[in-house]
Amino acid sequence: MATALIVDDDPDWLTLIEIVLGKEGMGTMKCTEGRGAFDVARMEHPDLIFLDVFMPGVDGFQLLWQLQNTFETKDIPIVMVSSRDTTMDVAWGERLGAFTYISKNASFKELAPLIAEAASAALSSRHGEYHDA
């Protein structure tokens, strides 16, 4: 079973993403701040990370840079999920190595399939064609 680390300081978003990924058959781990998420990613090696930008302490862009520049985590696909979605924010996330960037500024009905699709595409890119063990 694939596992995703969800990093967001908003409990509603943690729950929403966890529900969507659960319906896709994925296990999840959750963190509410960047420093702890970095340690969890290094120790647990999730298959995928969903990462918010606005968080206390280390923000999502800083954490993305750290993850992309650390041997143990550099190959984990990272999906940015943020209300901070200007063209510059999206470009910055992509430049730092995000797999894709999803805007939170949509309804749940619109977001659920985007989250599921991003998870599937990211897993396929990491493992070739991903198959459950």
Side-chain angles (χ1 to χ4, degrees), residues 44-80:
E44 300 296 330
H45 306 286
D47 296 290
L48 175 63
I49 298 173
F50 279 83
L51 179 58
D52 185 26
V53 172
F54 285 124
M55 291 184 295
V58 175
D59 74 22
F61 289 135
Q62 292 168 320
L63 180 56
L64 174 60
W65 185 89
Q66 284 181 306
L67 292 165
Q68 292 294 301
N69 288 283
T70 300
F71 180 77
E72 298 92 347
T73 58
K74 67 182 176 69
D75 294 325
I76 301 171
I78 299 170
V79 176
M80 302 298 289

PDB file of all heavy atoms in Angstrom, residues 44-80:
ATOM      1  N   GLU A  44      10.399   7.933   7.640  1.00  0.00           N
ATOM      2  CA  GLU A  44       9.330   7.038   7.180  1.00  0.00           C
ATOM      3  C   GLU A  44       9.320   6.792   5.672  1.00  0.00           C
ATOM      4  O   GLU A  44       8.659   5.863   5.210  1.00  0.00           O
ATOM      5  CB  GLU A  44       7.963   7.579   7.618  1.00  0.00           C
ATOM      6  CG  GLU A  44       7.812   7.720   9.127  1.00  0.00           C
ATOM      7  CD  GLU A  44       7.870   6.384   9.849  1.00  0.00           C
ATOM      8  OE1 GLU A  44       7.479   5.351   9.272  1.00  0.00           O
ATOM      9  OE2 GLU A  44       8.328   6.376  11.002  1.00  0.00           O
ATOM     10  N   HIS A  45       9.973   7.627   4.897  1.00  0.00           N
ATOM     11  CA  HIS A  45      10.051   7.477   3.438  1.00  0.00           C
ATOM     12  C   HIS A  45       8.671   7.281   2.786  1.00  0.00           C
ATOM     13  O   HIS A  45       8.426   6.252   2.146  1.00  0.00           O
ATOM     14  CB  HIS A  45      10.968   6.316   3.055  1.00  0.00           C
ATOM     15  CG  HIS A  45      12.330   6.419   3.653  1.00  0.00           C
ATOM     16  ND1 HIS A  45      13.265   7.307   3.213  1.00  0.00           N
ATOM     17  CD2 HIS A  45      12.892   5.749   4.686  1.00  0.00           C
ATOM     18  CE1 HIS A  45      14.357   7.178   3.935  1.00  0.00           C
ATOM     19  NE2 HIS A  45      14.161   6.246   4.839  1.00  0.00           N
ATOM     20  N   PRO A  46       7.758   8.264   2.920  1.00  0.00           N
ATOM     21  CA  PRO A  46       6.453   8.111   2.268  1.00  0.00           C
ATOM     22  C   PRO A  46       6.621   8.060   0.747  1.00  0.00           C
ATOM     23  O   PRO A  46       7.639   8.519   0.206  1.00  0.00           O
ATOM     24  CB  PRO A  46       5.703   9.375   2.703  1.00  0.00           C
ATOM     25  CG  PRO A  46       6.779  10.377   2.956  1.00  0.00           C
ATOM     26  CD  PRO A  46       7.936   9.582   3.520  1.00  0.00           C
ATOM     27  N   ASP A  47       5.628   7.521   0.076  1.00  0.00           N
ATOM     28  CA  ASP A  47       5.664   7.442  -1.386  1.00  0.00           C
ATOM     29  C   ASP A  47       5.343   8.786  -2.039  1.00  0.00           C
ATOM     30  O   ASP A  47       5.658   8.991  -3.212  1.00  0.00           O
ATOM     31  CB  ASP A  47       4.651   6.397  -1.873  1.00  0.00           C
ATOM     32  CG  ASP A  47       5.018   5.018  -1.381  1.00  0.00           C
ATOM     33  OD1 ASP A  47       6.035   4.478  -1.865  1.00  0.00           O
ATOM     34  OD2 ASP A  47       4.321   4.489  -0.491  1.00  0.00           O
ATOM     35  N   LEU A  48       4.728   9.670  -1.272  1.00  0.00           N
ATOM     36  CA  LEU A  48       4.198  10.920  -1.808  1.00  0.00           C
ATOM     37  C   LEU A  48       4.019  11.895  -0.657  1.00  0.00           C
ATOM     38  O   LEU A  48       3.729  11.483   0.470  1.00  0.00           O
ATOM     39  CB  LEU A  48       2.852  10.612  -2.470  1.00  0.00           C
ATOM     40  CG  LEU A  48       1.994  11.710  -3.032  1.00  0.00           C
ATOM     41  CD1 LEU A  48       2.705  12.427  -4.171  1.00  0.00           C
ATOM     42  CD2 LEU A  48       0.687  11.112  -3.534  1.00  0.00           C
ATOM     43  N   ILE A  49       4.170  13.196  -0.927  1.00  0.00           N
ATOM     44  CA  ILE A  49       3.927  14.227   0.089  1.00  0.00           C
ATOM     45  C   ILE A  49       2.983  15.271  -0.480  1.00  0.00           C
ATOM     46  O   ILE A  49       3.182  15.757  -1.596  1.00  0.00           O
ATOM     47  CB  ILE A  49       5.241  14.904   0.534  1.00  0.00           C
ATOM     48  CG1 ILE A  49       6.177  13.878   1.168  1.00  0.00           C
ATOM     49  CG2 ILE A  49       4.956  16.064   1.505  1.00  0.00           C
ATOM     50  CD1 ILE A  49       7.575  14.402   1.485  1.00  0.00           C
ATOM     51  N   PHE A  50       1.941  15.596   0.283  1.00  0.00           N
ATOM     52  CA  PHE A  50       1.060  16.725  -0.008  1.00  0.00           C
ATOM     53  C   PHE A  50       1.463  17.832   0.946  1.00  0.00           C
ATOM     54  O   PHE A  50       1.485  17.627   2.162  1.00  0.00           O
ATOM     55  CB  PHE A  50      -0.416  16.347   0.190  1.00  0.00           C
ATOM     56  CG  PHE A  50      -0.989  15.607  -0.979  1.00  0.00           C
ATOM     57  CD1 PHE A  50      -0.795  14.251  -1.112  1.00  0.00           C
ATOM     58  CD2 PHE A  50      -1.690  16.285  -1.958  1.00  0.00           C
ATOM     59  CE1 PHE A  50      -1.296  13.565  -2.200  1.00  0.00           C
ATOM     60  CE2 PHE A  50      -2.199  15.609  -3.050  1.00  0.00           C
ATOM     61  CZ  PHE A  50      -2.011  14.250  -3.173  1.00  0.00           C
ATOM     62  N   LEU A  51       1.781  19.015   0.416  1.00  0.00           N
ATOM     63  CA  LEU A  51       2.420  20.057   1.208  1.00  0.00           C
ATOM     64  C   LEU A  51       1.750  21.416   1.021  1.00  0.00           C
ATOM     65  O   LEU A  51       1.650  21.909  -0.095  1.00  0.00           O
ATOM     66  CB  LEU A  51       3.901  20.135   0.796  1.00  0.00           C
ATOM     67  CG  LEU A  51       4.794  21.158   1.446  1.00  0.00           C
ATOM     68  CD1 LEU A  51       4.828  20.984   2.959  1.00  0.00           C
ATOM     69  CD2 LEU A  51       6.204  21.053   0.859  1.00  0.00           C
ATOM     70  N   ASP A  52       1.320  22.003   2.132  1.00  0.00           N
ATOM     71  CA  ASP A  52       0.776  23.358   2.144  1.00  0.00           C
ATOM     72  C   ASP A  52       1.930  24.356   2.140  1.00  0.00           C
ATOM     73  O   ASP A  52       3.051  24.019   2.514  1.00  0.00           O
ATOM     74  CB  ASP A  52      -0.094  23.547   3.397  1.00  0.00           C
ATOM     75  CG  ASP A  52      -0.812  24.889   3.430  1.00  0.00           C
ATOM     76  OD1 ASP A  52      -1.065  25.482   2.356  1.00  0.00           O
ATOM     77  OD2 ASP A  52      -1.122  25.350   4.539  1.00  0.00           O
ATOM     78  N   VAL A  53       1.651  25.609   1.749  1.00  0.00           N
ATOM     79  CA  VAL A  53       2.676  26.644   1.764  1.00  0.00           C
ATOM     80  C   VAL A  53       2.664  27.395   3.091  1.00  0.00           C
ATOM     81  O   VAL A  53       3.684  27.522   3.753  1.00  0.00           O
ATOM     82  CB  VAL A  53       2.504  27.634   0.585  1.00  0.00           C
ATOM     83  CG1 VAL A  53       3.452  28.818   0.727  1.00  0.00           C
ATOM     84  CG2 VAL A  53       2.740  26.917  -0.737  1.00  0.00           C
ATOM     85  N   PHE A  54       1.501  27.907   3.504  1.00  0.00           N
ATOM     86  CA  PHE A  54       1.415  28.712   4.730  1.00  0.00           C
ATOM     87  C   PHE A  54       1.392  27.830   5.961  1.00  0.00           C
ATOM     88  O   PHE A  54       0.401  27.157   6.234  1.00  0.00           O
ATOM     89  CB  PHE A  54       0.136  29.558   4.730  1.00  0.00           C
ATOM     90  CG  PHE A  54       0.192  30.737   3.815  1.00  0.00           C
ATOM     91  CD1 PHE A  54      -0.762  30.905   2.836  1.00  0.00           C
ATOM     92  CD2 PHE A  54       1.190  31.684   3.940  1.00  0.00           C
ATOM     93  CE1 PHE A  54      -0.733  31.990   1.992  1.00  0.00           C
ATOM     94  CE2 PHE A  54       1.232  32.780   3.093  1.00  0.00           C
ATOM     95  CZ  PHE A  54       0.270  32.935   2.121  1.00  0.00           C
ATOM     96  N   MET A  55       2.503  27.817   6.700  1.00  0.00           N
ATOM     97  CA  MET A  55       2.577  27.065   7.954  1.00  0.00           C
ATOM     98  C   MET A  55       3.487  27.827   8.902  1.00  0.00           C
ATOM     99  O   MET A  55       4.370  28.567   8.464  1.00  0.00           O
ATOM    100  CB  MET A  55       3.138  25.658   7.712  1.00  0.00           C
ATOM    101  CG  MET A  55       2.220  24.754   6.942  1.00  0.00           C
ATOM    102  SD  MET A  55       2.901  23.097   6.789  1.00  0.00           S
ATOM    103  CE  MET A  55       4.352  23.388   5.786  1.00  0.00           C
ATOM    104  N   PRO A  56       3.297  27.631  10.203  1.00  0.00           N
ATOM    105  CA  PRO A  56       4.193  28.297  11.160  1.00  0.00           C
ATOM    106  C   PRO A  56       5.602  27.712  11.097  1.00  0.00           C
ATOM    107  O   PRO A  56       5.787  26.555  10.739  1.00  0.00           O
ATOM    108  CB  PRO A  56       3.534  27.995  12.518  1.00  0.00           C
ATOM    109  CG  PRO A  56       2.689  26.789  12.294  1.00  0.00           C
ATOM    110  CD  PRO A  56       2.274  26.820  10.855  1.00  0.00           C
ATOM    111  N   GLY A  57       6.585  28.526  11.427  1.00  0.00           N
ATOM    112  CA  GLY A  57       7.972  28.060  11.412  1.00  0.00           C
ATOM    113  C   GLY A  57       8.482  27.938   9.999  1.00  0.00           C
ATOM    114  O   GLY A  57       8.581  28.913   9.273  1.00  0.00           O
ATOM    115  N   VAL A  58       8.750  26.729   9.575  1.00  0.00           N
ATOM    116  CA  VAL A  58       9.235  26.457   8.221  1.00  0.00           C
ATOM    117  C   VAL A  58       8.031  26.410   7.285  1.00  0.00           C
ATOM    118  O   VAL A  58       7.127  25.605   7.475  1.00  0.00           O
ATOM    119  CB  VAL A  58       9.986  25.100   8.186  1.00  0.00           C
ATOM    120  CG1 VAL A  58      10.397  24.743   6.769  1.00  0.00           C
ATOM    121  CG2 VAL A  58      11.189  25.138   9.106  1.00  0.00           C
ATOM    122  N   ASP A  59       7.997  27.302   6.277  1.00  0.00           N
ATOM    123  CA  ASP A  59       6.853  27.278   5.352  1.00  0.00           C
ATOM    124  C   ASP A  59       7.054  26.198   4.293  1.00  0.00           C
ATOM    125  O   ASP A  59       8.093  25.546   4.223  1.00  0.00           O
ATOM    126  CB  ASP A  59       6.594  28.658   4.740  1.00  0.00           C
ATOM    127  CG  ASP A  59       7.595  29.085   3.677  1.00  0.00           C
ATOM    128  OD1 ASP A  59       8.268  28.227   3.065  1.00  0.00           O
ATOM    129  OD2 ASP A  59       7.700  30.299   3.438  1.00  0.00           O
ATOM    130  N   GLY A  60       6.024  25.995   3.487  1.00  0.00           N
ATOM    131  CA  GLY A  60       6.047  24.921   2.497  1.00  0.00           C
ATOM    132  C   GLY A  60       7.148  25.046   1.461  1.00  0.00           C
ATOM    133  O   GLY A  60       7.731  24.039   1.045  1.00  0.00           O
ATOM    134  N   PHE A  61       7.455  26.272   1.028  1.00  0.00           N
ATOM    135  CA  PHE A  61       8.527  26.436   0.046  1.00  0.00           C
ATOM    136  C   PHE A  61       9.883  26.085   0.656  1.00  0.00           C
ATOM    137  O   PHE A  61      10.708  25.443   0.009  1.00  0.00           O
ATOM    138  CB  PHE A  61       8.558  27.867  -0.508  1.00  0.00           C
ATOM    139  CG  PHE A  61       7.407  28.197  -1.411  1.00  0.00           C
ATOM    140  CD1 PHE A  61       6.735  29.400  -1.277  1.00  0.00           C
ATOM    141  CD2 PHE A  61       6.994  27.332  -2.411  1.00  0.00           C
ATOM    142  CE1 PHE A  61       5.682  29.726  -2.114  1.00  0.00           C
ATOM    143  CE2 PHE A  61       5.933  27.640  -3.258  1.00  0.00           C
ATOM    144  CZ  PHE A  61       5.285  28.852  -3.103  1.00  0.00           C
ATOM    145  N   GLN A  62      10.101  26.478   1.897  1.00  0.00           N
ATOM    146  CA  GLN A  62      11.361  26.130   2.570  1.00  0.00           C
ATOM    147  C   GLN A  62      11.470  24.611   2.744  1.00  0.00           C
ATOM    148  O   GLN A  62      12.525  24.027   2.511  1.00  0.00           O
ATOM    149  CB  GLN A  62      11.439  26.807   3.944  1.00  0.00           C
ATOM    150  CG  GLN A  62      11.572  28.311   3.874  1.00  0.00           C
ATOM    151  CD  GLN A  62      11.350  28.957   5.229  1.00  0.00           C
ATOM    152  OE1 GLN A  62      10.472  28.555   5.994  1.00  0.00           O
ATOM    153  NE2 GLN A  62      12.137  29.979   5.522  1.00  0.00           N
ATOM    154  N   LEU A  63      10.366  23.990   3.162  1.00  0.00           N
ATOM    155  CA  LEU A  63      10.368  22.545   3.351  1.00  0.00           C
ATOM    156  C   LEU A  63      10.567  21.820   2.022  1.00  0.00           C
ATOM    157  O   LEU A  63      11.316  20.847   1.943  1.00  0.00           O
ATOM    158  CB  LEU A  63       9.080  22.089   4.027  1.00  0.00           C
ATOM    159  CG  LEU A  63       8.954  20.592   4.291  1.00  0.00           C
ATOM    160  CD1 LEU A  63      10.127  20.061   5.122  1.00  0.00           C
ATOM    161  CD2 LEU A  63       7.632  20.291   4.987  1.00  0.00           C
ATOM    162  N   LEU A  64       9.926  22.300   0.972  1.00  0.00           N
ATOM    163  CA  LEU A  64      10.105  21.713  -0.357  1.00  0.00           C
ATOM    164  C   LEU A  64      11.579  21.737  -0.747  1.00  0.00           C
ATOM    165  O   LEU A  64      12.127  20.732  -1.205  1.00  0.00           O
ATOM    166  CB  LEU A  64       9.250  22.472  -1.381  1.00  0.00           C
ATOM    167  CG  LEU A  64       9.418  22.103  -2.853  1.00  0.00           C
ATOM    168  CD1 LEU A  64       9.073  20.646  -3.105  1.00  0.00           C
ATOM    169  CD2 LEU A  64       8.547  23.019  -3.709  1.00  0.00           C
ATOM    170  N   TRP A  65      12.234  22.871  -0.555  1.00  0.00           N
ATOM    171  CA  TRP A  65      13.657  22.988  -0.882  1.00  0.00           C
ATOM    172  C   TRP A  65      14.481  21.991  -0.063  1.00  0.00           C
ATOM    173  O   TRP A  65      15.349  21.303  -0.614  1.00  0.00           O
ATOM    174  CB  TRP A  65      14.141  24.419  -0.632  1.00  0.00           C
ATOM    175  CG  TRP A  65      15.561  24.601  -1.071  1.00  0.00           C
ATOM    176  CD1 TRP A  65      16.009  24.965  -2.302  1.00  0.00           C
ATOM    177  CD2 TRP A  65      16.734  24.376  -0.264  1.00  0.00           C
ATOM    178  NE1 TRP A  65      17.382  24.983  -2.322  1.00  0.00           N
ATOM    179  CE2 TRP A  65      17.855  24.628  -1.074  1.00  0.00           C
ATOM    180  CE3 TRP A  65      16.936  23.999   1.050  1.00  0.00           C
ATOM    181  CZ2 TRP A  65      19.157  24.507  -0.606  1.00  0.00           C
ATOM    182  CZ3 TRP A  65      18.241  23.876   1.516  1.00  0.00           C
ATOM    183  CH2 TRP A  65      19.331  24.133   0.692  1.00  0.00           C
ATOM    184  N   GLN A  66      14.203  21.904   1.245  1.00  0.00           N
ATOM    185  CA  GLN A  66      14.942  20.968   2.103  1.00  0.00           C
ATOM    186  C   GLN A  66      14.759  19.528   1.626  1.00  0.00           C
ATOM    187  O   GLN A  66      15.726  18.765   1.556  1.00  0.00           O
ATOM    188  CB  GLN A  66      14.454  21.059   3.552  1.00  0.00           C
ATOM    189  CG  GLN A  66      14.934  22.263   4.298  1.00  0.00           C
ATOM    190  CD  GLN A  66      14.411  22.229   5.728  1.00  0.00           C
ATOM    191  OE1 GLN A  66      13.211  22.111   5.961  1.00  0.00           O
ATOM    192  NE2 GLN A  66      15.320  22.338   6.676  1.00  0.00           N
ATOM    193  N   LEU A  67      13.520  19.154   1.344  1.00  0.00           N
ATOM    194  CA  LEU A  67      13.233  17.783   0.918  1.00  0.00           C
ATOM    195  C   LEU A  67      13.908  17.450  -0.404  1.00  0.00           C
ATOM    196  O   LEU A  67      14.431  16.352  -0.585  1.00  0.00           O
ATOM    197  CB  LEU A  67      11.725  17.567   0.820  1.00  0.00           C
ATOM    198  CG  LEU A  67      10.962  17.587   2.144  1.00  0.00           C
ATOM    199  CD1 LEU A  67       9.468  17.732   1.901  1.00  0.00           C
ATOM    200  CD2 LEU A  67      11.267  16.347   2.971  1.00  0.00           C
ATOM    201  N   GLN A  68      13.897  18.402  -1.335  1.00  0.00           N
ATOM    202  CA  GLN A  68      14.501  18.174  -2.646  1.00  0.00           C
ATOM    203  C   GLN A  68      16.025  18.127  -2.581  1.00  0.00           C
ATOM    204  O   GLN A  68      16.666  17.622  -3.497  1.00  0.00           O
ATOM    205  CB  GLN A  68      14.062  19.262  -3.628  1.00  0.00           C
ATOM    206  CG  GLN A  68      12.593  19.195  -3.997  1.00  0.00           C
ATOM    207  CD  GLN A  68      12.274  17.930  -4.769  1.00  0.00           C
ATOM    208  OE1 GLN A  68      12.829  17.681  -5.823  1.00  0.00           O
ATOM    209  NE2 GLN A  68      11.372  17.127  -4.242  1.00  0.00           N
ATOM    210  N   ASN A  69      16.605  18.657  -1.517  1.00  0.00           N
ATOM    211  CA  ASN A  69      18.057  18.717  -1.382  1.00  0.00           C
ATOM    212  C   ASN A  69      18.595  17.805  -0.286  1.00  0.00           C
ATOM    213  O   ASN A  69      19.699  18.013   0.213  1.00  0.00           O
ATOM    214  CB  ASN A  69      18.494  20.168  -1.151  1.00  0.00           C
ATOM    215  CG  ASN A  69      18.344  20.981  -2.415  1.00  0.00           C
ATOM    216  OD1 ASN A  69      19.159  20.876  -3.320  1.00  0.00           O
ATOM    217  ND2 ASN A  69      17.273  21.744  -2.503  1.00  0.00           N
ATOM    218  N   THR A  70      17.821  16.800   0.077  1.00  0.00           N
ATOM    219  CA  THR A  70      18.232  15.819   1.079  1.00  0.00           C
ATOM    220  C   THR A  70      18.196  14.439   0.434  1.00  0.00           C
ATOM    221  O   THR A  70      17.198  14.056  -0.176  1.00  0.00           O
ATOM    222  CB  THR A  70      17.287  15.863   2.304  1.00  0.00           C
ATOM    223  OG1 THR A  70      17.350  17.178   2.872  1.00  0.00           O
ATOM    224  CG2 THR A  70      17.670  14.836   3.347  1.00  0.00           C
ATOM    225  N   PHE A  71      19.291  13.702   0.570  1.00  0.00           N
ATOM    226  CA  PHE A  71      19.428  12.414  -0.106  1.00  0.00           C
ATOM    227  C   PHE A  71      18.242  11.484   0.146  1.00  0.00           C
ATOM    228  O   PHE A  71      17.699  10.877  -0.782  1.00  0.00           O
ATOM    229  CB  PHE A  71      20.738  11.727   0.317  1.00  0.00           C
ATOM    230  CG  PHE A  71      20.924  10.398  -0.340  1.00  0.00           C
ATOM    231  CD1 PHE A  71      21.330  10.311  -1.659  1.00  0.00           C
ATOM    232  CD2 PHE A  71      20.676   9.222   0.358  1.00  0.00           C
ATOM    233  CE1 PHE A  71      21.491   9.087  -2.280  1.00  0.00           C
ATOM    234  CE2 PHE A  71      20.831   7.986  -0.253  1.00  0.00           C
ATOM    235  CZ  PHE A  71      21.240   7.922  -1.576  1.00  0.00           C
ATOM    236  N   GLU A  72      17.806  11.362   1.405  1.00  0.00           N
ATOM    237  CA  GLU A  72      16.751  10.405   1.753  1.00  0.00           C
ATOM    238  C   GLU A  72      15.380  10.779   1.198  1.00  0.00           C
ATOM    239  O   GLU A  72      14.503   9.927   1.107  1.00  0.00           O
ATOM    240  CB  GLU A  72      16.605  10.264   3.280  1.00  0.00           C
ATOM    241  CG  GLU A  72      17.812   9.755   3.988  1.00  0.00           C
ATOM    242  CD  GLU A  72      18.727  10.874   4.491  1.00  0.00           C
ATOM    243  OE1 GLU A  72      18.567  12.044   4.087  1.00  0.00           O
ATOM    244  OE2 GLU A  72      19.611  10.563   5.286  1.00  0.00           O
ATOM    245  N   THR A  73      15.177  12.038   0.837  1.00  0.00           N
ATOM    246  CA  THR A  73      13.836  12.487   0.439  1.00  0.00           C
ATOM    247  C   THR A  73      13.764  13.088  -0.962  1.00  0.00           C
ATOM    248  O   THR A  73      12.668  13.407  -1.428  1.00  0.00           O
ATOM    249  CB  THR A  73      13.317  13.532   1.448  1.00  0.00           C
ATOM    250  OG1 THR A  73      14.233  14.645   1.501  1.00  0.00           O
ATOM    251  CG2 THR A  73      13.157  12.933   2.833  1.00  0.00           C
ATOM    252  N   LYS A  74      14.889  13.216  -1.641  1.00  0.00           N
ATOM    253  CA  LYS A  74      14.908  13.944  -2.918  1.00  0.00           C
ATOM    254  C   LYS A  74      14.066  13.301  -4.018  1.00  0.00           C
ATOM    255  O   LYS A  74      13.639  13.987  -4.947  1.00  0.00           O
ATOM    256  CB  LYS A  74      16.336  14.153  -3.398  1.00  0.00           C
ATOM    257  CG  LYS A  74      17.073  12.895  -3.793  1.00  0.00           C
ATOM    258  CD  LYS A  74      18.500  13.216  -4.205  1.00  0.00           C
ATOM    259  CE  LYS A  74      19.299  11.988  -4.518  1.00  0.00           C
ATOM    260  NZ  LYS A  74      18.914  11.293  -5.715  1.00  0.00           N
ATOM    261  N   ASP A  75      13.778  12.012  -3.924  1.00  0.00           N
ATOM    262  CA  ASP A  75      13.011  11.332  -4.964  1.00  0.00           C
ATOM    263  C   ASP A  75      11.519  11.198  -4.648  1.00  0.00           C
ATOM    264  O   ASP A  75      10.776  10.598  -5.424  1.00  0.00           O
ATOM    265  CB  ASP A  75      13.594   9.944  -5.225  1.00  0.00           C
ATOM    266  CG  ASP A  75      14.995  10.021  -5.810  1.00  0.00           C
ATOM    267  OD1 ASP A  75      15.267  10.963  -6.588  1.00  0.00           O
ATOM    268  OD2 ASP A  75      15.821   9.149  -5.482  1.00  0.00           O
ATOM    269  N   ILE A  76      11.080  11.757  -3.527  1.00  0.00           N
ATOM    270  CA  ILE A  76       9.654  11.681  -3.166  1.00  0.00           C
ATOM    271  C   ILE A  76       8.902  12.777  -3.915  1.00  0.00           C
ATOM    272  O   ILE A  76       9.224  13.957  -3.777  1.00  0.00           O
ATOM    273  CB  ILE A  76       9.452  11.858  -1.644  1.00  0.00           C
ATOM    274  CG1 ILE A  76      10.211  10.778  -0.863  1.00  0.00           C
ATOM    275  CG2 ILE A  76       7.959  11.841  -1.297  1.00  0.00           C
ATOM    276  CD1 ILE A  76      10.237  11.016   0.649  1.00  0.00           C
ATOM    277  N   PRO A  77       7.889  12.421  -4.714  1.00  0.00           N
ATOM    278  CA  PRO A  77       7.103  13.452  -5.389  1.00  0.00           C
ATOM    279  C   PRO A  77       6.333  14.290  -4.363  1.00  0.00           C
ATOM    280  O   PRO A  77       5.778  13.756  -3.406  1.00  0.00           O
ATOM    281  CB  PRO A  77       6.135  12.679  -6.285  1.00  0.00           C
ATOM    282  CG  PRO A  77       6.530  11.254  -6.215  1.00  0.00           C
ATOM    283  CD  PRO A  77       7.448  11.078  -5.055  1.00  0.00           C
ATOM    284  N   ILE A  78       6.321  15.602  -4.600  1.00  0.00           N
ATOM    285  CA  ILE A  78       5.657  16.524  -3.684  1.00  0.00           C
ATOM    286  C   ILE A  78       4.592  17.304  -4.443  1.00  0.00           C
ATOM    287  O   ILE A  78       4.872  17.949  -5.444  1.00  0.00           O
ATOM    288  CB  ILE A  78       6.677  17.480  -3.042  1.00  0.00           C
ATOM    289  CG1 ILE A  78       7.705  16.664  -2.246  1.00  0.00           C
ATOM    290  CG2 ILE A  78       5.968  18.509  -2.156  1.00  0.00           C
ATOM    291  CD1 ILE A  78       8.896  17.446  -1.753  1.00  0.00           C
ATOM    292  N   VAL A  79       3.367  17.226  -3.926  1.00  0.00           N
ATOM    293  CA  VAL A  79       2.239  17.959  -4.490  1.00  0.00           C
ATOM    294  C   VAL A  79       1.962  19.134  -3.559  1.00  0.00           C
ATOM    295  O   VAL A  79       1.639  18.944  -2.389  1.00  0.00           O
ATOM    296  CB  VAL A  79       0.981  17.065  -4.598  1.00  0.00           C
ATOM    297  CG1 VAL A  79      -0.208  17.873  -5.094  1.00  0.00           C
ATOM    298  CG2 VAL A  79       1.256  15.869  -5.507  1.00  0.00           C
ATOM    299  N   MET A  80       2.123  20.347  -4.078  1.00  0.00           N
ATOM    300  CA  MET A  80       1.803  21.539  -3.294  1.00  0.00           C
ATOM    301  C   MET A  80       0.286  21.734  -3.340  1.00  0.00           C
ATOM    302  O   MET A  80      -0.316  21.626  -4.408  1.00  0.00           O
ATOM    303  CB  MET A  80       2.500  22.771  -3.865  1.00  0.00           C
ATOM    304  CG  MET A  80       4.014  22.678  -3.942  1.00  0.00           C
ATOM    305  SD  MET A  80       4.842  22.488  -2.361  1.00  0.00           S
ATOM    306  CE  MET A  80       4.618  24.097  -1.631  1.00  0.00           C
TER     307      MET A  80
END
